[in-house]
Amino acid sequence: MKATLKGLPTMLYTIVKKNILRIKHSRTSMAVILFGPIALMLIVGLAFNTMGLSGIRIATYAEEYPGFADTVLANIEEHGQQFSITKQTSVEACTAGVQNGDFHMCLLFDAANESVQIHVDYSRMNLVWTLLEVMNSQFKQEASMIGQELTRGLLAELDTTLLTLQDNSGTIDSLGENLVSFQGQLDAITQSLDELQIATPQGGFGDVMNTTNDTRVQLESSHDHVSTSLTAYRGRIETAETDIQNAQESVGAERENREAIYESVNRSYDAMDCDLKNPQDLTPLINDPEAFELALDGDPTPECSILLTMKVNLESSIEDLQRMELHLEAMEDEMGEARDEIDLLQAEADTLYAQSSVQLDATEQAFGDAEAMLEQAQNQTTDLLERKSELRKQLQELRGAAGEGAIAIAGMNTSLATVVAGLSEAGKISPEQIASPFDVSVKPVTSKELQKLDFLFPTLFILVIMFVAVMLGVTIVNKEKASRAHFRNFITPTPDSLFIVGNFLTVMVLTLVQVIILLLLGLAFFDVHVLPVLGGLLCIILAAVAVFSLLGILIGSIIANEETSTLAGIIFCVILFLFSSTIVPLEGMAEFSKLFVQINPFFISAELFRKQLIFGANMLQSPEMILVLCIEFVVLAVATYGAWALIRKRF
Amino acid sequence: MEQPATQPTGQAGAPKPLITFSNVQKRFKEHEVLKGISFVVYPKSVYGIIGPSGAGKTTLLRLLIGFYTPTEGQILLEGQEASKVPSETIGFATQENSFYDELTCLENLEYFGKLYNLSKAEIIQNAAANLALVGLSEFAHTPAKDLSGGMKRRLDLAISIMHQPRLLILDEPTAGLDPKLRKQVWGLIKKIRDRGITIVVTSHLLTDMEHYCDQVAIIHDGKILEAGTPFQLKTAYSKHEEIRIETAEGRYQDLFRQLQAERVPIAYSRLDEHLLIIYVPEIENTIIKVLDSIKVTGQHLLDLDVNRPALSEVFEALMNQQEQSHLKEDKRGKR
């Protein structure tokens, strides 16, 4: 009797039938399931059939009402019974009235600043935005009228400006011409500047100074050399003089010696009278023929001859010695002269050296001064060149600026012409056009003619089926857990998975009944075109119902207590609803909330349903959403199976 | 309904036990609920398990149906481990009615029949037979919630045997029923037993167990204190005779005073629903005094039954033994 595959469908059918029969026998449950959605849609349909407002009470306060306040308030009151206006005596009374709920809004006018503050109770979110929209439209209308008045004044001022501009256009032209002329002058100055040759003195006195130094060295060297030479010469002369004096002494001594000898010889000679016998010189005897004959014919004796010879030799040598002495004297004199000359030369050399040194010092001084002056001149030239370059640059910039000025003036002239033309054109535009340059009208991005409430249908629809599926899931499991028969189910050979699937199918079936009712009601109360996209819608609905059913079954299975699990189901639905971009837009949420919204099955289902129903978009165009739903289905199925084991464990 | 043991053990040719518990232990974390239980149940008998609350009766039954597995020991059912025995072998009824109140009797039978994978024909046939067995044929299409207490209990039994199990386990089947309904239920149990279904039943109503069970086991604190036929147990443990008195007026307090005045040696007494039960050492003189006392107190006798010592006495004796044993152990522990 094991559960076979063949028997599974009938077993499933039995479980589903049992669940439905249990609900059917419980008339209250049946009524809620069948009439709940009907009631909901009827209430929504009837209650929100009109989007107008009525019975809106407005409190106002101002120390002094500005001019526009009367007009605005009169316009608001023109709406008849929709709005009633009560003037309050203080700011506190006005705002407290809103807090207490006596008034829907409080308008505080400020005549000084021509402004109005609107105080509303933001806790009534559903009403606030509608009221603000109405108020904004009223104030916008009044602001538009005031804007038109201001525009008229502005246009008059523009006319005056236009005339002034036209009058002053010649001035700008001449300014442009002046700038062009100025540019020419600048060019001339630049050219003159370019022609101004400024050469930097080159070279220097370094070589000369070096030469002077070399000369000084050479001079000193020459002087030293001359001095040394002269001193050497002087030494030599003094040596020569000594030698000469020694020779003179020797020669004098020799001569005296020889003269003594001579005297002796001479005396001998004379004594022998040899003088006649042996003339020595015939020349003086020429005039004395006797002596001469005798000298020639005489018979001199050998002694006389010897004496004479001796005498002659002595005389000759004495004479030589005398000559020698004379020579030596002459030499000594010459030596003295030479020494004097050397001294003179030394003196001259010293004088010359001293003079040369002084001259060299003066020369060096002169070149040093010249060097400093040259350096100064070079610096001055460099500075001059820099200034010239700077001046040229400034001239070029000035020219560039003048050029840009000329272009700007040309542009200004063009702009002025455009402005003038524009102002001329502006003068032709009516103040109404300026104050309200374009009309804004909001159109739905669908070609279908839908009412405002019709856009609410997809969200409302998914919301209803979410609550129905989750709560049915929770209820079915709770009923099962509360039933005494539950234990008997566990001891039958039927596997747990079959009970889970059975419960799941029961919720699906019952929810789909609701879906059919809702779709029919949607056709009746909302101008939605279900039939053309019915296939796609059913796929989305099935996916959504499957996920929500499992979610409900899981919640019911995990939480043991019946009341707690019901409460948890409601809380879960509310969380999914709140994080669904229905109340707070997705774009206004924190980043982590956005992530949650992206996987929120309610958000995904409502989005797919909305796109399909309103825009006719195929659900396959959002594959990532389908994928998320599929993943969630699998995760929930696995978790539910685990939770069922938990229930079994609790027995 | 006094009878000897239906299945003499140890004799040649004795049938094989349907259920064998061998030193079965069951622990839930640190808490040891069953501490080495051993007993056998023979086919086509009614086996009663008696014990105070928390003794481990329900755990024992759940082990038997394979909902739990033993921590230690072995449970054999028809020679197989109980956890591996097909669940179709066993029928189970708890002390609360295990059916859907919103469904009719027939719908409940059909539903559970289908869960046991019965064919449509089997479902029709069994449902009709079982409804007839429990006397609810007329109420086949009545929602279960509209049935009386006794009918609900009968329906529960009908559902329990819808798939024709070989073993029916009943956990406190008569709890909360009046004596008349209890009698009906026990009658029904007997009929089921007569169909060849072995029945294991727990109850705290010892008199019923004594009357309707072929064998009983007294369980206390996770252990079987004694097992056997009621007769065997009573013979082993009782020292008194039991006299069950039922009068039309039911003024049992007056009757009890008169019996004391007549110096009847009552060991102990108790009121059981509409009966006064007294235990006395000897029966012959007492009967005369009982009849005199009824007459003296101006009452009319409806029923007078004399029994061997009741199972309750055995139970009390065993409980006392246990308490004394615990006290001794405590004293030893303190020393």
Side-chain angles (χ1 to χ4, degrees), chain A residues 276 279 282 285-298:
Chain A
L276 289 156
L282 293 170
L285 292 171
I286 294 205
N287 295 330
D288 190 352
E290 202 180 314
F292 187 79
E293 283 288 334
L294 195 34
L296 277 169
D297 293 346

Side-chain angles (χ1 to χ4, degrees), chain A residues 154-166:
Chain A
L154 192 66
L155 285 175
E157 285 298 319
L158 282 177
D159 282 340
T160 313
T161 309
L162 179 61
L163 290 173
T164 310
L165 283 174
Q166 283 169 340

Side-chain angles (χ1 to χ4, degrees), chain A residues 235-298:
Chain A
R236 284 181 191 169
I237 286 169
E238 283 174 355
T239 305
E241 276 182 335
T242 305
D243 290 342
I244 288 168
Q245 280 173 1
N246 290 335
Q248 277 180 327
E249 285 175 7
S250 297
V251 168
E254 185 67 31
R255 182 185 51 83
E256 284 174 1
N257 189 30
R258 284 184 181 226
E259 277 176 347
I261 296 167
Y262 179 79
E263 283 296 326
S264 181
V265 168
N266 197 37
R267 268 180 318 262
S268 301
Y269 185 83
D270 282 341
M272 290 176 65
D273 206 16
C274 299
D275 207 15
L276 289 156
K277 297 175 184 172
N278 196 13
Q280 263 188 322
D281 190 6
L282 293 170
T283 310
L285 292 171
I286 294 205
N287 295 330
D288 190 352
E290 202 180 314
F292 187 79
E293 283 288 334
L294 195 34
L296 277 169
D297 293 346

Side-chain angles (χ1 to χ4, degrees), chain A residues 67-274:
Chain A
F68 70 90
D70 293 333
T71 319
V72 170
L73 293 176
N75 285 340
I76 292 170
E77 279 186 318
E78 273 178 18
H79 283 78
Q81 291 183 341
Q82 287 185 13
F83 296 93
S84 64
I85 295 170
T86 307
K87 290 191 175 177
Q88 296 295 309
T89 54
S90 67
V91 174
E92 290 74 23
C94 191
T95 53
V98 177
Q99 286 172 5
N100 298 334
D102 299 333
F103 301 106
H104 293 97
M105 63 167 57
C106 161
L107 305 179
L108 298 177
F109 291 96
D110 183 356
N113 295 320
E114 290 279 316
S115 65
V116 62
Q117 285 182 356
I118 303 174
H119 290 251
V120 288
D121 179 6
Y122 273 94
S123 62
R124 302 187 63 184
M125 279 178 68
N126 51 352
L127 183 64
V128 162
W129 299 113
T130 313
L131 284 176
L132 286 178
E133 195 180 324
V134 172
M135 284 300 116
N136 271 335
S137 71
Q138 291 300 324
F139 283 112
K140 215 157 90 180
Q141 190 181 341
E142 183 59 21
S144 174
M145 288 175 70
I146 294 169
Q148 286 177 23
E149 283 302 315
L150 292 172
T151 310
R152 280 193 194 91
L154 192 66
L155 285 175
E157 285 298 319
L158 282 177
D159 282 340
T160 313
T161 309
L162 179 61
L163 290 173
T164 310
L165 283 174
Q166 283 169 340
D167 291 345
N168 290 329
S169 62
T171 311
I172 292 170
D173 287 341
S174 69
L175 186 63
E177 287 165 9
N178 286 345
L179 273 175
V180 172
S181 166
F182 179 59
Q183 269 186 305
Q185 288 172 1
L186 286 174
D187 287 342
I189 292 168
T190 307
Q191 194 177 352
S192 300
L193 197 65
D194 289 342
E195 285 169 4
L196 183 63
Q197 297 296 324
I198 299 170
T200 307
Q202 299 298 318
F205 296 97
D207 294 342
V208 176
M209 292 299 280
N210 291 337
T211 307
T212 307
N213 284 332
D214 293 345
T215 305
R216 184 184 291 277
V217 170
Q218 285 176 359
L219 184 64
E220 282 174 359
S221 173
S222 300
H223 177 257
D224 292 343
H225 182 67
V226 167
S227 294
T228 308
S229 299
L230 287 174
T231 305
Y233 285 136
R234 182 188 289 276
R236 284 181 191 169
I237 286 169
E238 283 174 355
T239 305
E241 276 182 335
T242 305
D243 290 342
I244 288 168
Q245 280 173 1
N246 290 335
Q248 277 180 327
E249 285 175 7
S250 297
V251 168
E254 185 67 31
R255 182 185 51 83
E256 284 174 1
N257 189 30
R258 284 184 181 226
E259 277 176 347
I261 296 167
Y262 179 79
E263 283 296 326
S264 181
V265 168
N266 197 37
R267 268 180 318 262
S268 301
Y269 185 83
D270 282 341
M272 290 176 65
D273 206 16
C274 299

